[in-house]
């Protein structure tokens, strides 16, 4: 400390008390959590069906055996996710910004954006996949790409853009209008205001739901496999399960997905915390 | 209404670029429905001329029939009770609100004309808000350099040098890389002033700039304002500080019931008010021991 | 989404063959006409032939137009055959169609051979059920994956003549409440399951008419799991699959019995070919020839369970 | 007007100009949108594959025929959605609030909430459905419900709570800490502050992403059908499509979903607009 | 530090209920580490006693070693430069910040003791913030009745009657069903004051309450504060208004460098300041023409 301050005895006593109390409460909470978990696990393990359940879902040896194949599928999921996500974010932001335009002049633009959102958010992804993945090639137009993988990605982009656009819109609307007024008063145009003032604050506020969509996109890339062109993690798991009547490959795929999600979550949390207030909690 | 109704002019061209070319010679254009001679409001001397302005929020008519001149290189103080529409007037001048009727002339150009580009007008008019409205996701320096860099296309290095100089001037150079949330209210207000000044506007609008400042700093800010006026700045200052209005302003305007109830030199207003509303207002302040 | 699966329903032609024991003597019950089924309504053409008699001749074999040199396959000189991913026993073995094992694997190679293709001239590819049934252009010459021939489906794709007559059977576990069922009436209050897109589902609804709505599963695996858990009382599937389920998939599985056909029309599996394909008649001819010379019967005997199952009345 | 104000000629001229300009711009925008759409439709209709495409996806007679059955399935989707959504919202809010607890005392609670979110957001829903729907009954415990429908709903609740909790968290964190300070200074407890001050503002800000999750929940209720217990709209469509090789039933289901989504969207937008600033747009 | 270090006391009990039973006779409890006599700070008269308070944000030490008494029924004005920590001090008293060292005694009870329930303390201490912090999703009346209804469990009808009376007092009865965003700055500040007062706290903390008010209203608010003091209210008022400090306060405290640089009666401070920092501060204000 630059001013040579050392805690007074009373402060030290307070700190000690707080530490004790914290430690005790944390201990109680941790113990109860662990005990609860342990009891749950014990109950499950002692049920008559447990050995069969374990063999069906947690056959460790078999899990190791299928791991490489499923990991390879996951790598495909990840690549598809990255490619689609970039397009989705751009398109969704454009739609969200279109919806924020005010005045009767922009009515058609706004209406188009709303119609887009309503349509592609409402349609089941599987239908969009079928219509594009099977329907487009069936039009037999030479200049249209006929790759099912391409159309599968287009379907993902169309569906997810509608969702992500709504997320962005929520963020944009949560920025107080006085921020816009301040920016406009500095001479920034509507576009510049959005770009430099509103959108950065908006995105930061909706990072968790954005990540939600990213995580489910990552899993839904696998749906392209209905078009019969890719072997993603879940399809690989299904193939294995079909061969052995054992659900362990699904569990392996699930765990890999979880392991992939965790760093993404921590990263976005970190980004969110780095800029602006952390929010939450407040007074002691 | 009737005066304006008879003869009116409007401009086809948008307001000029950021540089303040004083009232260019513009063609008079016949209106689609009526034509007439240009009523710039006689322009010339008055950088800002407000003519029969009306603004309402729903059925709440805030500004009724307000006319006001702010001559070049002058500091006009706007006083009036809370809710009398001072902030609203400033927002209308900066085109942050669409007026319901009447006109606002800047350098003789009717900026309320829908053909005028609002962004260009706003680059020439600076405003400091009552609530500071800093951008919470940017550092203090970024707040200040945003407009120069994005609107005036100044390079980052030059903008930051300017910005630092301006921060120096308001005594906050050491907070350049802090976030607004980490500043005290007074510090935030000074950053807001610096942000508005760095764009070198022709006209500055101040809305209660001193309300969050501690008395020590008020002096500094007053010096700053005086200095600005020396540099040729025209200012319209909404304020509750009667001492400020008395000592710094060239003219004082008293708002009441959505109009200019009285205006004149500080001596006229403070020592010999003629309007009964002004008299009552000043008497109550005097009772509060604040004059 | 659904995995590939056995053939479909379609209101008119939905019953299994009425032959007493398909497993025992499948060749005896083959009943397909020799005319090309690529026409608008294959069910008409199949019913046009006498339904449960053996056919004596396979007319389209041996014509020069059907040799590899003339056949307009997707990739000239090779025959591209598709099936689903994954595929199941007893139709294929080890999810590997190229090993020629399993009934459909063997039939596919037999058809290829009949058309004049050697084993190396056959390429396998995988196509999901959903992609096969779409109007999109196909990359395969034919798909073999227990597709039932129906007139509605024939509007979208071509079918060859049938290569197998299907019967439906009920599988359950020992000790279940329907394990001792002797008649259709005994199944009335049972919860039965079947795979989506199969005629089994229609068989439940039209023949058993249970009081509880049948459970529909994406795959037979899921149906078996539900049966093991006691969530359903029985699974209805085609007879060969039923044998495989009770023998290999279930520890204590039993076949309750075989379901009767409710109309006179036999249900058949056919090879699925792109709509309007030039090779349809050749492929049909090859299938007809294989039936005529007893190859299909031999392969059925080799790969499909041979034990009979009592028919439920 | 109470003060007898009538627009001045200049104002009337301005209004007229604005109206003309608005009308012209709106016309241009509307025309270009419609022309674009029309051209797109014409191109598609004139492709060689169009008749087959139309028969496969837009067989109107067949669509009418399957409509009642699919509508019945949709009604099941809706009921499941409502039941699950109530539980999901409650659980998700609890998790989000648990994550906002500060101080080392609450570390175990926070950690449990984070672990829950990470796990159930990362796991593919299909795996959770299998593990619960087939796994739980296979334990053969008499006091556990064995209904696959029950376990299917539990799986939906577990998965979706994780997503919705993140949405709520974003909302809670976007409320400025000074709001919390103000509430605490009035003597409100942490819970009261959350309930009366923070959560109402938070929910309003995240209504669009919340609706996102509601809309996809509505569609994902259909996934319970892998357990073989329900006939939802998509399953009914799939049964039909598998039988006839015609995708029209999917299109019918998709359109019904869209029709269901639109009023929900308009309703939430209306709710959001009713309270607090509308945001968006700002200066002219 | 050393004075307190030698002998200290602390309370096992949480702060009493909202009713202000003045300094009950409490048992002295030996501390876990050290024991000694009770140093209530001599309690009795002083409703609020601050002793050797320290508060830092990271490495920025805002309050260093601050001691201060606010006697019952008195109004103490807190003056000092911007950033001197006035707002921070008020937040510490209201337990919105955890202090780093030192103690705050309310009615003789050490409220910085971690065993004390902060919510109960806060119900007895009202605060009005520099930035108003109204709840934007509630109407003005709901803002005001929230705490009475939820904390004090007053019925809706009674709470709204009280709330309307309070709004009447600050002259905003007609805005009862407006949302905060529709109010002018001054109107919002008055609502914030009404909201804090309606809970009938023992001690009121005001942070720049008059900064956003127009001069007419300042008089009214000052009357309000004087009236409150008559009713037995104890007040600590952070302000930049020297005229306010001079006319209303019983005592004036000048903050500098994180400590109390000087304190005394308004006469002492304004007419004969002894600390050089106070002298400099006042001289600059005088130069600004604001005293
Ligand atoms: N966005 C709005 N919607 C509705 N009414 C508004 C809005 N903004 C301001 N008002 C109303 O307009 C009137 C004038 O407000 P304005 O902020 O201009 O007053 P002011 O003179 O700046 O007051 P103060 O000195 O308190 O800042 C007030 O009655 C206020 O309630
Ligand atoms: N949350 C925070 N994080 C970091 N620093 C802070 C925070 N809040 C305040 N500070 C710093 O603490 C110092 C004192 O701030 P405070 O708001 O208490 O000053 P003040 O005396 O109220 O000033 P003013 O008169 O301008 O309101 C300032 O330097 C400020 O930058
Ligand atoms: Mg104002
Ligand atoms: Mg302060």
């Amino acid at each position: 400390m630059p001013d040579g301050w050392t805690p007074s005895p009373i402060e030290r006593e307070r700190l000690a008390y707080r530490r004790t109390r914290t430690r005790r409460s944390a201990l109680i909470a941790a113990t109860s959590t662990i005990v609860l978990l342990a009891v749950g696990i014990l109950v499950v393990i002692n049920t008559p069906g447990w050995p069969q359940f374990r063999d069906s879902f947690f056959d460790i040896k078999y899990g190791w055996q299928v791991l490489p194949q499923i990991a390879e599928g996951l790598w495909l999921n990840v690549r598809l996710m990255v490619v689609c996500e970039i397009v989705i974010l751009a398109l969704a932001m454009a739609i969200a910004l279109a919806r924020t335009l005010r005045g009767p002049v922009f009515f058609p633009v706004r209406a188009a954006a709303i119609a887009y959102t309503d349509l592609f958010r409402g349609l089941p992804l599987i239908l969009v996949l079928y219509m594009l993945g099977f329907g487009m090639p069936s039009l037999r137009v030479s200049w249209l790409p006929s790759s099912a993988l391409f159309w599968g990605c287009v379907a993902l982009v169309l569906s997810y853009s509608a969702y992500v656009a709504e997320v962005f819109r929520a963020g944009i609307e949560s920025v107080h209008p006085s921020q816009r007024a301040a920016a406009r008063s500095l001479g920034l145009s509507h576009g510049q205001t959005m770009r430099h003032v509103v959108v950065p604050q908006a995105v930061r506020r909706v990072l968790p739901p954005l990540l939600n969509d990213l995580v489910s996109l990552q899993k839904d890339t696998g749906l392209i496999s209905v078009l019969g062109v890719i072997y993603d993690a879940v399809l690989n798991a299904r193939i294995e399960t079909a061969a052995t009547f054992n659900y362990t490959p699904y569990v392996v795929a699930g765990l890999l997905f979880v392991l992939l999600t965790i760093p993404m979550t921590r990263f976005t949390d970190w980004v969110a915390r780095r800029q602006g207030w952390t929010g939450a909690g407040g007074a002691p | 209404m009737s005066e304006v109704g008879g003869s009116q002019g409007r401009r086809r061209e948008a307001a000029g670029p950021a540089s303040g070319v004083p009232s260019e010679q513009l063609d008079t254009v016949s209106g689609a429905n009526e034509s007439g001679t240009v009523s710039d409001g006689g322009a010339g001397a008055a950088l800002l001329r407000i003519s029969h302005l009306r603004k309402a929020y729903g059925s709440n008519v805030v500004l009724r029939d307000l006319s006001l001149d702010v001559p070049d290189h002058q500091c006009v103080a706007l006083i009036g009770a809370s809710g009398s529409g001072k902030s609203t007037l400033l927002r209308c001048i900066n085109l942050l609100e669409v007026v319901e009727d009447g006109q606002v002339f800047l350098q003789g150009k009717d900026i309320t004309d829908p053909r005028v580009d609002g962004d260009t007008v706003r680059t020439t008019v600076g405003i400091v808000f009552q609530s500071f409205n800093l951008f919470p996701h940017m550092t203090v320096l970024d707040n200040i350099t945003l407009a120069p860099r994005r609107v005036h296309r100044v390079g980052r290095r030059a903008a930051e040098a300017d910005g630092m100089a301006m921060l120096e001037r308001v005594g906050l150079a050491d907070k350049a890389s802090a976030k607004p949330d980490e500043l005290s209210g007074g510090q935030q207000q000074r950053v807001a002033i610096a942000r508005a000044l760095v764009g070198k506007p022709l006209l500055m609008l101040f809305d209660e700039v001193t309300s969050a400042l501690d008395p020590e700093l008020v002096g500094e800010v007053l010096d700053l304002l005086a200095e600005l006026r020396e540099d040729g700045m025209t200012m319209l200052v909404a304020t509750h500080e009667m001492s400020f209005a008395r000592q710094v302003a060239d003219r004082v305007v008293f708002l009441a019931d959505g109009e200019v109830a009285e205006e004149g030199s500080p001596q006229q207003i403070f020592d010999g008010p003629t309007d009964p509303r002004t008299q009552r207002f000043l008497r109550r302040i005097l009772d509060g021991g604040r004059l | 989404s659904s995995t590939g699966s056995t053939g479909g329903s379609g209101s008119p032609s939905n019953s299994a063959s009425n032959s007493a024991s398909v497993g025992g003597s499948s060749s005896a019950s083959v009943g397909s006409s020799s005319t090309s089924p690529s026409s608008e309504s294959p069910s008409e053409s199949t019913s046009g032939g006498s339904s449960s008699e053996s056919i004596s001749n396979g007319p389209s074999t041996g014509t020069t137009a059907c040799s590899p040199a003339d056949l307009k396959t997707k990739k000239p000189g090779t025959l591209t055959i598709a099936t689903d991913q994954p595929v199941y026993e007893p139709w294929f073995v080890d999810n590997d169609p190229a090993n020629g094992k399993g009934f459909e694997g063997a039939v596919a190679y037999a058809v290829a051979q009949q058309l004049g293709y050697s084993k190396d001239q056959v390429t396998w590819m995988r196509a999901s059920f959903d992609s096969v049934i779409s109007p999109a252009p196909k990359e395969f010459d034919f798909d073999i994956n227990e597709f039932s021939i129906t007139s509605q489906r024939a509007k979208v794709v071509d079918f060859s003549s049938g290569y197998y007559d299907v019967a439906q059977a009920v599988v359950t576990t020992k000790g279940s409440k329907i394990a001792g069922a002797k008649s259709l009436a005994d199944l009335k209050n049972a919860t039965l399951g079947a795979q989506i897109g199969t005629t089994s589902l229609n068989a439940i609804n039209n023949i058993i008419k249970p009081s509880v709505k049948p459970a529909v599963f994406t795959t037979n695996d899921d149906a078996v799991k539900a049966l093991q858990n006691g969530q359903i009382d029985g699974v209805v599937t085609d007879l060969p699959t039923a044998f495989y389920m009770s023998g290999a998939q279930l520890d204590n599985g039993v076949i309750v019995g075989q379901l009767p056909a409710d109309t006179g029309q036999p249900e058949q599996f056919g090879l699925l070919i792109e709509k309007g394909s030039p090779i349809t008649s050749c492929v049909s001819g090859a299938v007809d020839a294989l039936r005529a010379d007893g190859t299909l019967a031999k392969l059925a005997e080799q790969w499909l369970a041979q034990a009979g199952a009592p028919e439920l009345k």
Side-chain angles (χ1 to χ4, degrees), chain A, chain B, chain C:
Chain A
M1 295 289 159
D3 57 345
W5 166 75
T6 47
S8 67
I10 205 153
E11 174 65 16
R12 271 184 274 135
E13 192 273 332
R14 278 198 302 236
L15 281 176
Y17 172 79
R18 280 204 192 94
R19 246 195 317 264
T20 322
R21 207 186 47 164
T22 300
R23 219 179 286 139
R24 206 183 49 215
S25 309
L27 209 70
I28 291 171
T31 312
S32 58
T33 311
I34 290 166
V35 164
L36 221 79
L37 250 166
V39 166
I41 289 172
L42 274 176
V43 164
V44 166
I45 282 182
N46 285 310
T47 54
W50 168 248
Q52 216 186 330
F53 182 97
R54 187 194 51 209
D55 291 349
S56 246
F57 287 97
F58 303 112
D59 184 334
I60 294 176
K61 216 176 112 227
Y62 181 42
W64 270 114
Q65 190 187 316
V66 296
L67 182 64
Q69 200 181 336
I70 289 175
E72 202 189 300
L74 190 73
W75 175 225
L76 182 64
N77 287 108
V78 170
R79 279 176 299 163
L80 280 174
M81 192 239 324
V82 170
V83 171
C84 293
E85 184 67 12
I86 292 167
V87 187
I88 288 167
L89 287 177
L91 185 57
M93 183 54 84
I95 297 165
L97 289 176
R99 288 201 64 170
T100 65
L101 294 173
R102 283 279 162 276
V105 181
F106 294 110
F107 174 76
V109 179
R110 246 176 9 244
I114 291 174
Y116 180 95
T117 320
D118 282 351
L119 184 66
F120 284 104
R121 193 165 61 154
L123 284 180
L125 175 55
I126 196 83
L127 172 63
V128 183
L129 272 169
Y130 285 151
M131 294 220 4
L132 295 182
F134 298 143
M136 285 298 132
S138 82
L139 291 176
R140 287 155 215 276
V141 183
S142 54
W143 47 267
L144 272 181
S146 71
S147 146
L149 183 60
F150 170 83
W151 287 111
C153 288
V154 171
L156 281 178
V157 166
L158 290 177
S159 263
Y160 268 87
S161 298
Y163 283 96
V164 174
E166 286 294 282
V167 172
F168 280 142
R169 184 166 71 98
I172 289 171
E173 291 188 354
S174 78
V175 176
H176 197 277
S178 68
Q179 287 286 314
R180 260 181 294 267
R184 294 308 294 273
S185 78
L186 291 173
L188 271 70
S189 66
H190 177 81
Q192 288 172 324
T193 301
M194 284 293 162
R195 170 141 175 245
H196 298 294
V197 175
V198 177
V199 169
Q201 294 185 59
V203 169
R204 185 240 158 275
R205 290 188 185 178
V206 292
L207 271 181
L210 255 185
L211 190 65
N212 269 355
D213 285 333
L214 193 68
V215 168
S216 54
L217 171 69
Q218 169 188 297
K219 288 181 286 187
D220 277 354
T221 48
L223 276 183
I224 298 184
S225 66
V226 303
L227 301 181
V229 283
I230 61 160
Y231 285 77
D232 83 305
V234 172
L235 181 62
N236 279 342
R238 191 193 291 156
I239 292 168
E240 279 297 326
T241 297
T244 58
F245 313 128
N246 187 312
Y247 288 96
T248 306
Y250 273 109
V251 175
V252 171
L255 289 180
L256 288 182
F257 273 118
V258 170
L259 289 182
L260 205 64
T261 314
I262 291 177
M264 294 199 318
T265 312
R266 293 298 94 79
F267 176 70
T268 36
D269 279 359
W270 176 79
V271 169
R273 203 165 299 126
R274 217 172 49 113
Q275 38 180 305
W277 74 79
T278 357
Chain B
M1 283 319 102
S2 54
E3 297 174 64
V4 177
S7 68
Q8 59 174 311
R10 63 191 164 67
R11 302 271 162 261
R12 276 270 156 79
E13 290 170 67
S19 69
V21 187
S23 52
E24 317 148 42
Q25 208 45 50
L26 291 158
D27 300 324
T28 311
V29 181
S30 304
N33 42 5
E34 271 169 282
S35 65
T37 52
V38 192
S39 76
D40 270 3
L47 180 72
L48 178 76
R49 155 155 290 189
I50 295 161
S51 144
H52 302 284
L53 196 69
R54 177 187 174 88
K55 174 73 199 173
Y57 290 108
S59 65
N60 177 13
V61 184
V62 180
L63 304 177
R64 205 166 292 270
D65 184 16
L66 190 141
S67 298
L68 177 68
D69 275 15
V70 179
D72 250 346
H73 312 299
Q74 282 211 1
C75 174
V76 175
L78 207 57
I79 63 173
S82 177
S84 60
K86 300 183 293 297
S87 300
T88 305
L89 175 60
L90 298 186
R91 290 172 59 85
C92 286
I93 296 170
N94 206 14
L95 299 187
L96 291 172
E97 302 278 356
V98 177
V99 305
E100 209 171 320
D101 207 339
Q103 290 164 290
V104 177
F105 298 92
L106 187 68
Q107 294 187 297
K109 266 178 268 173
D110 178 4
I111 58 172
T112 52
D113 189 304
R115 274 145 288 224
V116 162
D117 175 34
D119 292 334
T120 316
V121 172
R122 280 188 287 264
T123 55
T124 64
V125 179
I127 187 166
V128 181
F129 290 97
Q130 192 161 12
S131 53
F132 331 128
N133 293 349
L134 296 181
F135 306 130
H137 61 300
M138 294 180 178
T139 64
V140 164
L141 189 58
D142 287 343
N143 260 282
I144 291 177
T145 55
L146 178 67
R149 290 180 54 204
R150 303 298 167 187
V151 183
H152 303 297
R153 301 278 161 207
V154 177
R156 167 182 279 272
R157 191 175 299 267
E160 294 196 339
D162 276 9
M164 284 308 297
M166 192 55 76
L167 279 177
E168 208 74 72
R169 205 158 158 189
V170 297
L172 282 172
D174 56 323
K175 297 280 182 189
S177 55
K179 288 281 173 69
D181 267 10
E182 297 161 18
L183 301 186
S184 76
Q187 289 164 337
Q188 288 188 45
Q189 185 61 295
R190 283 183 278 157
V191 174
I193 294 176
R195 187 175 65 175
L197 284 178
V198 85
K200 301 197 179 58
L202 289 176
L203 171 68
M204 278 294 298
L205 310 175
F206 291 99
D207 194 356
E208 316 285 351
V209 272
T210 54
S211 67
L213 296 184
D214 71 73
E216 274 194 293
L217 285 163
V218 168
E220 284 177 32
V221 173
L222 295 191
D223 290 349
L224 202 64
L225 297 192
E227 221 176 279
L228 282 173
R229 214 179 37 173
E230 297 301 306
D231 298 355
M233 183 63 74
T234 317
M235 286 180 280
L236 182 57
V237 186
T239 186
H240 291 145
E241 293 291 337
M242 294 308 130
S243 58
F244 173 88
R246 181 165 224 160
Q247 289 168 34
V248 179
D250 297 297
R251 271 167 68 242
V252 175
V253 174
F254 176 71
L255 278 195
D257 303 329
E259 334 169 298
V260 173
E262 189 163 5
E263 67 171 304
S265 71
Q267 284 73 19
Q268 276 174 295
I269 298 291
F270 289 109
D271 301 333
T274 54
D275 192 280
R277 290 168 297 189
T278 323
Q279 289 164 352
R280 201 167 55 241
F281 178 77
L282 290 175
R283 190 157 348 101
R284 294 177 69 178
I285 291 172
L286 209 60
D287 292 348
R290 312 210 342 144
L291 206 74
Chain C
S1 83
S2 105
T3 65
S5 55
T6 47
S9 57
S11 23
S13 57
N14 50 11
S15 78
S17 152
N18 60 358
S19 59
S21 151
V22 174
S25 56
S26 56
S27 67
S29 63
V30 167
S32 175
S33 89
S34 56
T35 55
S36 162
S38 68
S39 62
E40 263 300 287
S41 51
S43 64
E44 278 167 36
S45 58
T46 50
S47 61
S50 44
S51 58
S52 51
E53 291 161 28
S54 57
I55 305 283
S56 51
N57 63 336
S60 53
T61 45
T63 49
T64 47
C66 292
S67 68
D70 306 306
L71 220 47
K72 285 201 170 60
T73 53
K74 293 285 168 178
K75 263 192 242 120
T78 49
L79 190 64
T80 311
I81 310 177
T83 192
D84 203 359
Q85 171 71 284
V87 284
Y88 296 81
E89 287 193 54
W91 310 102
F92 293 92
V93 174
D94 295 337
N95 192 22
D96 177 18
N99 62 14
K101 293 180 181 170
F103 177 69
E104 291 191 326
V107 166
Y109 278 108
V111 169
Q113 199 179 4
Q114 187 72 29
L115 289 170
Y117 291 87
S118 70
K119 230 175 148 108
D120 343 318
Q121 283 177 298
V122 172
T123 322
W124 284 91
M125 65 169 286
R126 304 288 192 149
S128 68
F129 180 82
D130 299 287
S131 68
V132 165
I133 69 176
S134 78
K138 314 268 188 281
E139 287 161 42
F140 51 80
D141 294 313
F142 66 80
D143 186 303
I144 181 164
N145 193 218
E146 300 121 78
F147 286 103
S148 294
I149 302 166
T150 75
S151 59
Q152 277 169 308
R153 289 175 167 187
K155 288 180 192 164
V156 184
V157 294
D158 281 355
F159 286 107
S160 73
S161 332
Y163 58 89
Y164 182 71
D165 284 22
V166 197
Q168 301 295 332
V170 183
V171 182
T172 188
T173 47
K174 285 199 186 76
S176 117
K177 74 180 190 186
I178 60 162
K182 292 280 175 283
S183 68
L184 291 175
D186 294 343
L187 299 174
K188 272 275 182 289
N189 293 318
T191 310
L192 297 171
Q195 190 185 349
I196 194 168
T198 61
T199 37
S200 316
L201 193 57
N202 295 72
I204 298 175
N205 286 325
N206 298 336
I207 304 171
I208 303 176
K209 300 191 180 72
S211 54
V212 191
K213 248 191 155 184
V216 188
F217 295 95
T218 321
T219 66
N220 272 326
D221 303 337
D222 293 344
V224 168
K225 189 80 197 165
L227 179 62
Q228 279 173 333
N229 286 342
Q231 291 165 306
I232 54 174
D233 300 317
V235 176
V236 176
T237 180
D238 57 84
L239 193 60
T241 304
F243 276 110
Y244 179 71
M245 257 185 208
S246 63
Q249 263 180 297
L250 290 159
D251 295 336
N252 47 1
V254 285
I255 295 186
V256 177
Q258 183 178 324
L259 297 179
D262 67 336
T263 67
Q265 285 176 16
E267 181 196 345
Q268 295 186 312
F269 290 159
L271 304 176
L272 186 150
I273 308 164
E274 184 177 307
K275 183 80 188 156
S277 165
I279 69 164
T280 306
S281 62
C282 287
V283 172
S284 265
V287 172
D288 289 338
L290 290 173
R291 185 186 309 103
D293 66 13
T295 309
L296 290 178
K298 224 172 69 230
L299 291 177
E301 203 169 324
Q302 183 184 354
W303 294 109
L304 305 179
Q306 296 305 305
E311 181 160 327
L312 300 164
K313 294 284 178 207

